[in-house]
Amino acid sequence: MSEAILTESELVQQFPEAVSPDTRKGYEGYIVAVDHLVEVATHLRDHMGYDYLSSVTAVDYLPEGKMEVVYHIRQSTGGSPLVLKVQTPRDHCVVPSLTPIYPGAEFQEREAWDLLGVKFEGHPDLRRILMWEGFHGHPLRKDWREGYFEEESKPFKSRWPDGHIRRSETVNPFGRNVDYPAGFDPESFVPQTETALYAGLAQPESDDDDIQTDQVIVNLGPQHPSTHGVFRMVVKLEGETIVDLKPVMGYLHRNHEKIGERNTFLQNMPFTDRLDYFCSMSNNFGYALAVEKLMGIKPPERAEYIRVMMAELTRIVNHVAAIGFLLNDLGAYFTPILYAFEERELILDIFEAVSGSRMMCNYFRFGGVARDLPEGVLQKVKELVFERLPRKIDELDMYLTHNEIVRSRSEGVGVLTPEQAIAFSTVGPVLRASGIPYDLRRADPYSIYDRFDFDVAVRYHGDVYDRYLLRLDEIHQSIRILQQVVKGIPEGPIQEGKPQYQVRVPPGEAYGYVEGPKGELGYYVVSNGKPNPWRYHVRAPSFINLTPLATMCKGQKIADVIIILGSIDIVLGETDR
């Protein structure tokens, strides 16, 4: 840590006129002058080893009349993130794009433009990404109001403490949740076309081939089972070969972050379940860590062990499902996924016993967990991790890994080089299958992961086959961790202090993160000392891992695109939020 602090102080010495420490109470990092942002970011990447852009978001400080763009930048060799901030007037939010320096900023900058109205100059494709073109306003701005707007924050007075329940739409002037902007006439409205989307596809290159062929544009999805949800890919084809591809998302967007800023801190916990709905325990984990940083509290020992247990069981649940779905995408319909789901169901039995729910667990609390392990659950986990799971995962390995069709369809397909994997800010199995042994449980340990003996799984070809193999490897490492957890879990309390329905969160900012099954899942939370977050942002791995999709698909066939997408392993609830 001392080396990191020394290195960061060098940043101020290098740019004394452009960089200054953020001295606001409860805040960290550095404030960078807008006109020096590109210069500073380039220096960080090229000379200080900060080659990995983790997160980009913005905060609307309406009372102060300013917008703040926040960057979390990491070293791919490990360590805590460096936090940079750029402040602009909120009525003229223009910031240089970092996409030419960190290509992984592309989708995140588009999101900040879409939801907060920050314009990134020099961005190669600055369009809306979660809302549709023609949408009025930027929903995460503090002065934006939704159709059924009632109050800025919950609990709404109509519900508590007065308890006069009513349906909002009965008294809402917008009737059926329609709020037309000034001067808008629905009768004469002509929707904006997707001209910009299609124009962004690569133009045909002239060649000397004697055979003249046409390039055609085809939409894959959004209503298609092979896209793993309401996800759309606009592809330009020459024959069956992909010339270019543009991912289109947002069909499942419900402005999770706006809801999160209306909720109290504790009310957000069950909402995190519904991001990656395969991995609710991991979702809870990251959010709990962010708020605990703000509150300055630490869970008791037993709660820490229970958290790690639930997180690693979740990793196994995710990976067996991802492998089963990948085989579906390859054409081995249903038999492999049913084998995989049998093991998933046994783990969901554990989740149901401890939380009362199989998928939407709502189990973590600030300072611990909601309830202790019921009688007999620890013994069931012990039987799973010492007996059944190692045997069953070896069976999956035996049936699939050397299957001729699996190998011929996935080896050398969807290749992402190590340099591309870092540049595009990929995380989790996508990053590690490209030869980068980066895992937050080792690179920047949280909770009690530094106590356990396990290896960071890594593969080196960066193709679909290695992403499959890496998930198998990670299941074995999760089993190793779980075996140590069940042997070492102590007795004791599972909650720091008394359970609270309303928590006191001091003013400040915090970034809480976990190595979720799909990669770095981060929560950037800003508190102004009130019961509700001022800013609540989710760094979603399913969203950011799609950034290099076009690069991975160019030159491949249509059938390959389906398995490349499957090997990334996205969940649309997290992608779209």
Side-chain angles (χ1 to χ4, degrees):
M1 180 61 76
S2 60
E3 292 180 4
I5 293 172
L6 178 65
T7 303
E8 292 165 11
S9 69
E10 293 172 4
L11 185 63
V12 180
Q13 295 170 12
Q14 183 73 27
F15 301 98
E17 302 298 321
V19 179
S20 60
D22 189 342
T23 56
R24 293 172 292 180
K25 186 177 179 181
Y27 285 72
E28 60 179 343
Y30 298 86
I31 297 175
V32 182
V34 174
D35 52 349
H36 287 83
L37 176 63
V38 172
E39 181 185 5
V40 171
T42 303
H43 181 82
L44 281 170
R45 185 194 64 182
D46 296 343
H47 302 290
M48 297 176 72
Y50 285 91
D51 54 348
Y52 183 84
L53 179 66
S54 176
S55 172
V56 182
T57 189
V59 185
D60 182 9
Y61 290 101
L62 176 63
E64 301 167 41
K66 70 181 181 185
M67 189 74 71
E68 183 173 273
V69 183
V70 183
Y71 304 86
H72 290 82
I73 309 176
R74 294 183 180 272
Q75 296 171 315
S76 59
T77 52
S80 299
L82 175 67
V83 186
L84 295 186
K85 296 156 187 179
V86 172
Q87 297 177 342
T88 70
R90 70 187 303 276
D91 57 355
H92 184 65
C93 302
V94 181
V95 176
S97 172
L98 292 190
T99 300
I101 302 166
Y102 297 108
E106 182 185 352
F107 285 6
Q108 299 185 71
E109 287 181 345
R110 284 178 60 190
E111 180 186 353
W113 157 247
D114 189 3
L115 301 183
L116 284 146
V118 181
K119 185 175 182 181
F120 292 91
E121 283 192 328
H123 191 285
D125 189 20
L126 194 61
R127 296 177 290 112
R128 289 189 182 268
I129 192 166
L130 295 176
M131 309 307 294
W132 59 93
E133 295 298 335
F135 183 86
H136 180 66
H138 303 280
L140 280 179
R141 287 198 165 216
K142 291 297 181 180
D143 52 2
W144 187 89
R145 300 285 182 267
E146 62 270 29
Y148 286 140
F149 173 77
E150 191 168 336
E151 292 180 47
E152 286 291 348
S153 58
K154 297 176 183 176
F156 296 150
K157 292 182 176 61
S158 63
R159 276 82 158 174
W160 183 90
D162 299 336
H164 300 309
I165 307 300
R166 56 172 170 73
R167 292 175 62 85
S168 298
E169 54 266 39
T170 60
V171 295
N172 194 282
F174 304 130
R176 296 183 178 181
N177 196 15
V178 178
D179 180 6
Y180 295 133
F184 179 85
D185 179 11
E187 298 299 325
S188 59
F189 171 64
V190 178
Q192 293 189 27
T193 64
E194 294 183 315
T195 305
L197 168 63
Y198 294 119
L201 292 166
Q203 299 303 309
E205 297 180 5
S206 60
D207 55 47
D208 300 325
D209 197 331
D210 293 335
I211 301 175
Q212 297 297 314
T213 58
D214 290 330
Q215 293 188 346
V216 296
I217 293 174
V218 175
N219 283 280
L220 303 178
Q223 55 284 80
H224 197 285
S226 65
T227 57
H228 293 249
V230 281
F231 178 70
R232 174 181 167 209
M233 293 176 284
V234 179
V235 296
K236 179 171 278 191
L237 300 173
E238 182 151 3
E240 285 200 16
T241 302
I242 307 296
V243 176
D244 200 5
L245 179 149
K246 291 279 186 183
V248 183
M249 57 203 79
Y251 295 100
L252 201 62
H253 178 67
R254 61 271 191 208
N255 217 343
H256 174 91
E257 294 177 13
K258 187 77 168 183
I259 296 170
E261 292 167 15
R262 294 263 192 264
N263 288 338
T264 65
F265 283 93
L266 188 57
Q267 281 176 334
N268 272 337
M269 190 62 78
F271 281 80
T272 67
D273 292 333
R274 286 141 176 91
L275 291 165
D276 177 357
Y277 36 78
F278 270 80
C279 304
S280 74
M281 292 287 195
S282 293
N283 302 344
N284 288 182
F285 203 168
Y287 179 58
L289 289 175
V291 178
E292 285 165 1
K293 282 184 181 180
L294 283 167
M295 296 174 69
I297 61 174
K298 195 175 183 338
E301 277 288 290
R302 182 172 176 83
E304 292 276 31
Y305 272 84
I306 293 173
R307 285 179 167 194
V308 171
M309 179 191 298
M310 297 305 150
E312 294 309 312
L313 287 171
T314 297
R315 198 177 313 277
I316 297 171
V317 162
N318 181 87
H319 286 351
V320 294
I323 290 168
F325 285 130
L326 179 64
L327 267 292
N328 255 23
D329 293 336
L330 283 164
Y333 293 120
F334 302 114
T335 301
I337 188 66
L338 289 176
Y339 269 83
F341 259 52
E342 186 175 4
E343 309 315 309
R344 175 179 178 267
E345 289 299 307
L346 293 173
I347 295 175
L348 295 193
D349 288 343
I350 305 295
F351 292 171
E352 185 175 16
V354 299
S355 73
S357 176
R358 300 180 73 79
M359 290 183 69
M360 308 298 159
C361 297
N362 185 23
Y363 182 57
F364 285 52
R365 294 293 181 269
F366 309 134
V369 292
R371 57 191 65 82
D372 206 344
L373 301 179
E375 186 178 348
V377 164
L378 191 58
Q379 180 59 34
K380 283 186 177 181
V381 174
K382 189 174 182 179
E383 291 169 2
L384 273 177
V385 301
F386 278 99
E387 298 174 19
R388 182 179 175 103
L389 283 175
R391 184 176 73 252
K392 289 295 183 178
I393 300 309
D394 285 343
E395 283 183 13
L396 266 182
D397 188 1
M398 178 179 65
Y399 291 139
L400 303 179
T401 301
H402 298 292
N403 180 284
E404 183 180 352
I405 298 174
V406 170
R407 296 191 65 170
S408 63
R409 287 290 315 279
S410 57
E411 287 182 346
V413 174
V415 173
L416 196 65
T417 67
E419 296 77 16
Q420 290 171 331
I422 292 173
F424 282 113
S425 301
T426 62
V427 287
V430 177
L431 177 65
R432 291 188 287 277
S434 291
I436 307 297
Y438 184 88
D439 185 317
L440 287 174
R441 295 171 296 174
R442 280 278 186 261
D444 190 8
Y446 54 92
S447 186
I448 55 172
Y449 274 104
D450 54 355
R451 303 183 191 179
F452 300 112
D453 179 28
F454 68 98
D455 299 320
V456 174
V458 62
R459 295 279 174 165
Y460 296 95
H461 298 103
D463 55 12
V464 170
Y465 189 62
D466 269 14
R467 289 190 276 276
Y468 152 73
L469 289 175
L470 189 123
R471 291 186 174 96
L472 268 183
D473 296 342
E474 288 199 350
I475 293 172
H476 287 296
Q477 296 306 317
S478 290
I479 290 172
R480 278 180 68 185
I481 294 172
L482 285 164
Q483 289 172 347
Q484 296 167 67
V485 167
V486 296
K487 285 180 179 178
I489 185 169
E491 296 294 331
I494 48 90
Q495 176 72 44
E496 177 67 27
K498 295 181 178 179
Q500 301 177 56
Y501 290 104
Q502 188 74 282
V503 294
R504 295 180 181 273
V505 181
E509 65 173 356
Y511 181 58
Y513 43 85
V514 294
E515 183 66 40
K518 295 173 174 64
E520 180 181 346
L521 171 63
Y523 294 85
Y524 178 67
V525 180
V526 177
S527 170
N528 59 0
K530 294 184 178 179
N532 314 78
W534 179 261
R535 181 72 176 100
Y536 166 77
H537 171 67
V538 182
R539 187 240 184 255
S542 290
F543 176 68
I544 297 171
N545 277 349
L546 286 168
T547 312
L549 179 62
T551 299
M552 296 159 74
C553 291
K554 287 177 184 176
Q556 307 287 337
K557 303 298 183 185
I558 291 180
D560 296 330
V561 170
I562 303 306
I563 63 170
I564 292 169
L565 178 65
S567 74
I568 295 174
D569 183 24
I570 63 169
V571 163
L572 267 296
E574 181 180 83
T575 302
D576 289 351
R577 284 156 289 138

